[in-house]
Amino acid sequence: MSDQTPRNDHHATTHFGFRDVPTGDKQKLVGQVFSSVAGSYDLMNDLMSLGIHRVWKRYFVATAQVRRGDRVLDLAGGTGDIALLLKDRVGDTGSIVLGDINGDMLRVGRDRMVDRGKVAGFEYVQMNAEALPFPDASFDLVTIAFGLRNVTDKDAALREMHRVLKVGGQARVLEFSEVTQDWFKPIYDFHSFKVLPRLGKLFAGDAYSYQYLAESIRKHPPQDELKAMMGAAGFARAGYRNLSGGIVAIHTGYKA
């Protein structure tokens, strides 16, 4: 199950990277991290994935269950990478809601879309994934890429994703996960905890945020645990596919 402590406990704690913090503080702390890195978000992903995140995202969208005319919710939409790829799939008659809890990230995404001349068919909403501001059965597809691990109550977010899906709709989660090859784990750890923070300090002037992001990956539920969480949230046919030896995984579920 997830790592969150029930919210009705006034002394409840959750993890922020490798630190335990009061549950109510995590959202603010995560917000500070992403406000700090908003302007260098693509650089952050390049440093964390050695540039491969662009391939992962294209595959994530290319294999999604989505058609022209569909309405899609992209959670933790950040700078709009996933939404931009999805727009080609849903076409002129489809629409995409790009949602993020962080206003700085949302503004970067909106500005990029405008700069690229991509205006029609997009809506930008600042929202918390744990309490989505939409009626039941509002979307044909719900996606979240590299965002679920930063959500305080992952179970609540998964239940909300299920609630706003139409019957037969698909939810997809792209997230850093657990490396499957033992020989690669020491190399991956060295890159994450030794190299990445130094690169963050060098290129973005922020080692702390990059340290947190590396730690947050290790605290995220591994593949089978997240699959079970999706099942518990109501998703049918929950499953996953590892990419790049489990560095990331795509989890999928459907609303029966």
Side-chain angles (χ1 to χ4, degrees):
M1 298 302 290
S2 70
D3 49 21
Q4 285 75 41
T5 309
R7 286 175 175 249
N8 58 2
D9 181 352
H10 294 298
H11 302 289
T13 61
T14 188
H15 63 80
F16 175 72
F18 289 162
R19 292 165 48 200
D20 286 332
V21 299
T23 299
D25 290 353
K26 180 171 179 176
Q27 180 177 317
K28 178 182 70 176
L29 293 167
V30 170
Q32 291 170 352
V33 167
F34 281 91
S35 291
S36 173
V37 303
S40 58
Y41 186 69
D42 283 342
L43 172 63
M44 176 192 76
N45 283 329
D46 284 332
L47 295 178
M48 292 182 73
S49 71
L50 303 179
I52 307 172
H53 73 99
R54 301 172 193 276
V55 177
W56 295 333
K57 289 172 179 175
R58 285 196 294 270
Y59 182 80
F60 177 66
V61 171
T63 55
Q65 176 184 287
V66 64
R67 298 174 297 182
R68 299 186 71 81
D70 278 355
R71 181 167 168 80
V72 180
L73 172 62
D74 180 33
L75 290 170
T79 51
D81 288 353
I82 299 298
L84 189 61
L85 293 169
L86 282 166
K87 193 63 175 69
D88 291 335
R89 298 287 310 277
V90 303
D92 294 338
T93 57
S95 62
I96 297 172
V97 176
L98 198 159
D100 203 297
I101 196 171
N102 187 283
D104 291 316
M105 294 291 291
L106 207 56
R107 280 187 288 275
V108 170
R110 183 185 58 204
D111 291 347
R112 284 191 172 182
M113 294 298 191
V114 172
D115 289 344
R116 294 173 179 175
K118 303 289 186 178
V119 179
F122 292 100
E123 182 180 354
Y124 304 88
V125 182
Q126 189 168 356
M127 67 182 78
N128 187 335
E130 300 170 22
L132 297 176
F134 304 106
D136 296 355
S138 295
F139 298 95
D140 301 286
L141 171 69
V142 179
T143 61
I144 183 168
F146 302 119
L148 186 61
R149 74 181 189 280
N150 299 304
V151 174
T152 303
D153 191 337
K154 298 175 180 62
D155 291 312
L158 291 170
R159 289 193 298 269
E160 281 291 273
M161 291 169 68
H162 183 269
R163 180 184 66 78
V164 301
L165 268 179
K166 298 177 183 178
V167 173
Q170 184 187 58
R172 291 174 73 78
V173 179
L174 173 64
E175 188 56 87
F176 287 104
S177 202
E178 187 173 72
V179 172
T180 57
Q181 300 297 321
D182 288 338
W183 67 268
F184 185 63
K185 290 180 181 178
I187 300 171
Y188 186 51
D189 285 344
F190 180 80
H191 171 73
S192 299
F193 297 112
K194 301 298 184 183
V195 177
L196 183 60
R198 287 176 170 81
L199 291 175
K201 183 176 182 180
L202 179 64
F203 290 104
D206 185 355
Y208 171 77
S209 293
Y210 287 75
Q211 179 74 26
Y212 158 72
L213 291 165
E215 292 176 0
S216 70
I217 293 170
R218 300 310 190 276
K219 298 297 289 186
H220 184 66
Q223 289 89 323
D224 286 324
E225 184 177 350
L226 182 54
K227 175 184 173 181
M229 289 168 63
M230 292 187 73
F235 288 103
R237 297 174 13 234
Y240 65 86
R241 172 172 289 184
N242 287 324
L243 303 180
S244 301
I247 294 177
V248 300
I250 297 173
H251 280 73
T252 304
Y254 299 84
K255 187 166 185 175

